[in-house]
């Protein structure tokens, strides 16, 4: 047994951190953070269809029809990957929320001493910022937990792409390196999308003193409570 920072909500939520290549390896951390904030969540690996976005949207529609069969049993659908969130918003008749929105909502009612500190460069994922103007909640989460936000020159709805979703390696590399070139040494960079942070890590120079941190890792640390996450 453990005590969350907020009383547990009734009803069951499901967490889709991302499809196979865009964030499902962070599912454990997502469950852990949401448990700390009083949310009981299931995790189920499935494709939302995001890999077909822009190429074969009929495949997305077919997968959406298939996935609705089990998603309808949940009171809330929470999504971690920015592109998956976009697909849910555009192709599913389900009011999915991005995990940063859920964390923000829960933190507003939380009581505890948060231990986040230091400066963090926040990168806006394209699919959140450009498509849905979802820019405030991730920043507010980090601020509420004690971090100081540093901004890239092009941010929010004018964000530069990190290249993470490009199928071409050189474009992923170019996007990441151009973004990281704006960051001073010894700084932390994060993004509210596992694919973005994964791409930054892949192309962060071996001798770089820039630290790439998962958004949920920063949240988990700052919440300052140890509980097991089981799914």
């Amino acid at each position: 047994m453990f005590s969350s920072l907020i009383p547990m909500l009734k009803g069951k939520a499901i967490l889709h951190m991302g499809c196979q290549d865009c964030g499902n390896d962070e599912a454990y951390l997502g469950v852990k953070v949401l448990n700390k904030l009083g949310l009981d969540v299931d995790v189920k690996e499935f494709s939302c269809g995001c890999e077909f976005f822009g190429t074969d949207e009929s495949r997305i529609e077919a997968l959406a029809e298939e996935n609705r069969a089990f998603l309808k049993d949940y009171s809330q659908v929470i999504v971690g990957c920015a592109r998956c969130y976009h697909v849910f918003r555009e192709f599913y008749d389900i009011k999915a929320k991005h995990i940063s929105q859920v964390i923000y909502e829960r933190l507003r009612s939380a009581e505890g001493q948060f231990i986040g500190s230091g400066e963090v460069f926040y990168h806006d994922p394209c699919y959140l910022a450009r498509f849905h103007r979802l820019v405030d909640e991730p920043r507010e989460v980090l601020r509420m937990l004690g971090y100081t936000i540093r901004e890239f020159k092009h941010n929010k709805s004018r964000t530069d792409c990190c290249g993470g979703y490009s199928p071409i390696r050189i474009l992923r590399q170019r996007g990441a390196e151009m973004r990281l070139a704006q960051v001073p040494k010894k700084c932390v960079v994060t993004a509210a999308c596992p694919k973005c942070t994964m791409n930054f890590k892949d192309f962060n120079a071996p001798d770089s003193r820039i630290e790439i941190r998962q958004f949920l890792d920063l949240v988990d640390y700052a919440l300052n409570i140890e509980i097991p996450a089981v799914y």
Side-chain angles (χ1 to χ4, degrees):
M1 295 294 293
F2 62 86
S3 297
S4 63
L5 294 173
I6 313 173
M8 297 294 284
L9 282 181
K10 293 182 179 179
K12 193 75 170 180
I14 186 169
L15 172 65
H16 177 67
M17 262 323 286
C19 298
Q20 187 172 4
D21 70 338
C22 57
N24 63 358
D25 58 331
E26 288 192 25
Y28 171 85
L29 195 53
V31 172
K32 187 179 179 185
V33 165
L34 294 173
N35 282 173
K36 288 183 178 184
L37 293 173
L39 278 173
D40 185 18
V41 292
D42 281 345
V43 173
K44 180 180 176 66
E45 290 189 16
F46 64 95
S47 171
C48 72
C50 71
E51 65 267 34
F52 302 113
F53 180 69
T55 59
D56 187 356
E57 294 185 355
S58 65
R59 298 284 297 275
I60 301 178
E61 292 168 354
L63 283 167
E65 182 66 26
E66 178 182 324
N67 293 334
R68 287 189 195 100
F70 67 86
L71 290 174
K72 63 180 176 59
D73 295 329
Y74 291 91
S75 59
Q76 188 172 31
V77 178
I78 304 169
V79 185
C81 164
R83 186 171 68 173
C84 294
Y85 173 77
H86 176 66
V87 166
F88 269 94
R89 290 290 301 268
E90 295 297 312
F91 295 92
Y92 288 68
D93 54 354
I94 294 171
K95 293 183 179 179
K97 289 186 177 181
H98 188 262
I99 194 168
S100 65
Q101 295 175 301
V102 176
I103 294 170
Y104 171 69
E105 291 169 358
R106 299 298 285 166
L107 276 178
R108 294 174 68 185
S109 303
E111 295 182 2
Q113 185 173 359
F114 307 131
I115 61 171
S117 63
E119 296 183 340
V120 176
F121 268 80
Y122 179 72
H123 165 78
D124 288 281
C126 297
Y127 285 102
L128 296 185
R130 293 184 185 176
F131 287 87
H132 299 286
R133 300 297 192 267
L134 203 168
V135 297
D136 294 329
E137 289 90 334
R139 287 173 169 81
E140 286 305 308
V141 166
L142 294 173
R143 289 192 184 101
M144 291 165 77
L145 292 173
Y147 300 103
T148 300
I149 306 296
R150 294 283 300 274
E151 298 283 2
F152 287 92
K153 180 179 179 181
H154 294 156
N155 56 53
K156 299 186 177 180
S157 62
R158 297 176 59 251
T159 186
D160 289 329
C161 180
C162 74
Y165 286 104
S166 173
I168 303 172
R169 177 181 170 85
I170 189 63
L171 294 181
R172 294 198 303 273
Q173 180 176 359
R174 184 180 302 167
E177 289 179 348
M178 289 178 64
R179 204 64 166 148
L180 293 177
Q182 304 176 41
V183 180
K185 295 179 179 179
K186 291 187 177 181
C187 280
V188 173
V189 174
T190 194
C193 176
K195 189 69 170 179
C196 295
T197 51
M198 187 188 311
N199 198 54
F200 285 136
K201 286 181 179 180
D202 286 345
F203 297 109
N204 193 22
D207 60 347
S208 172
R209 299 175 72 179
I210 298 171
E211 184 181 4
I212 312 299
R213 295 281 299 276
Q214 297 172 347
F215 179 80
L216 291 179
D217 185 41
L218 292 171
V219 174
D220 180 49
Y221 169 77
L223 288 176
N224 193 28
I225 177 174
E226 289 300 322
I227 64 170
V230 180
Y231 65 91

